[in-house]
Amino acid sequence: MVDSGVPLRVVSYNVHGQRDDTAALAAVVRQVAPDVVIVQEGPRRFRWRAKSATLAASLGLVVAGGGLPALGNLLLTSLRVRVTGVRHQRYPLTPGRHLRGAAYADCVVGTGARFTVAGSHLATDPAERPGQAQLFKRELDAAPYPVIAAADLNDDPGGPAWRTVSRGLTDAAVAADRADRLTYSCANPRRRIDAVFVDPRISVVDYDVLDTPLTRRASDHFPILVDLRLPAVD
């Protein structure tokens, strides 16, 4: 195990619009005590600010950014993490399809280790996904600090959108030799369409897809849990 750098625990979770067992959802996240949660399908409509704050509080976290401006992508943090900047992105709308977007937050943790966390949820339409992946990747490449990016890509490893987003980054599942852990669906696990990618300067200490009775009640996606070490501050 890597013994230098600043530890950071990250969860990526498509919460299915909180349409399932919300008590189970809260218990799943609280049990692993993450520093950062990257949410897909979070609140994005009426009273989205209050709903986002309620979701964050249920998980023992605070809202860093996202919600309606990022079309349901929500970034939550523990009080250990300080957020210094937030940006949102909306992808072009294809008529008749859902609006999609992304959220980005620049953060500081520990004695000054900086990172940029990003989250997105790409389209189910294979004609839309590649363009959205390119827009997401452009922002990741422009991030001021080492990137931690999580997404429901709606694409399989090796697919066009997956290749675009992962270029130059480390696939945390591959780094931990756990790329066989499937993320969707909880009812019939058959695909790995959810992923966490990190800057090569960030070490992947551990990676898991949490398949438990609670997670099978909480959403239609399994959450990803990743333990990282950020580059040590000089």
Side-chain angles (χ1 to χ4, degrees), residues 182 185-186 189 208-216 222-223:
L182 305 178
S185 70
C186 291
D208 201 5
V209 173
L210 304 180
D211 181 352
T212 69
L214 276 178
T215 61
R216 286 176 178 259
F222 294 115

Side-chain angles (χ1 to χ4, degrees), residues 90-173:
R90 291 189 175 193
Y91 305 138
L93 173 64
T94 300
R97 300 290 183 179
H98 291 296
L99 279 166
R100 305 278 181 170
Y104 309 83
D106 301 326
C107 304
V108 183
V109 68
T111 57
R114 295 183 177 272
F115 64 97
T116 297
V117 61
S120 188
H121 184 187
L122 303 187
T124 56
D125 183 349
E128 284 186 297
R129 275 198 307 272
Q132 293 174 353
Q134 289 171 8
L135 291 171
F136 185 43
K137 181 62 172 176
R138 184 177 67 189
E139 295 300 315
L140 297 179
D141 288 345
Y145 307 115
V147 164
I148 300 166
D152 175 354
L153 295 166
N154 273 312
D155 197 12
D156 298 295
W162 191 292
R163 291 198 307 270
T164 295
V165 175
S166 65
R167 187 179 62 247
L169 300 174
T170 299
D171 182 335

Side-chain angles (χ1 to χ4, degrees), residues 31-61:
Q31 284 176 1
V32 298
D35 299 299
V36 175
V37 177
I38 304 165
V39 175
Q40 301 89 39
E41 293 195 33
R44 58 178 286 177
R45 293 185 176 89
F46 180 67
R47 298 184 64 245
W48 65 270
R49 289 184 181 86
K51 291 176 181 178
S52 296
T54 298
L55 172 60
S58 75
L59 307 181
L61 303 166

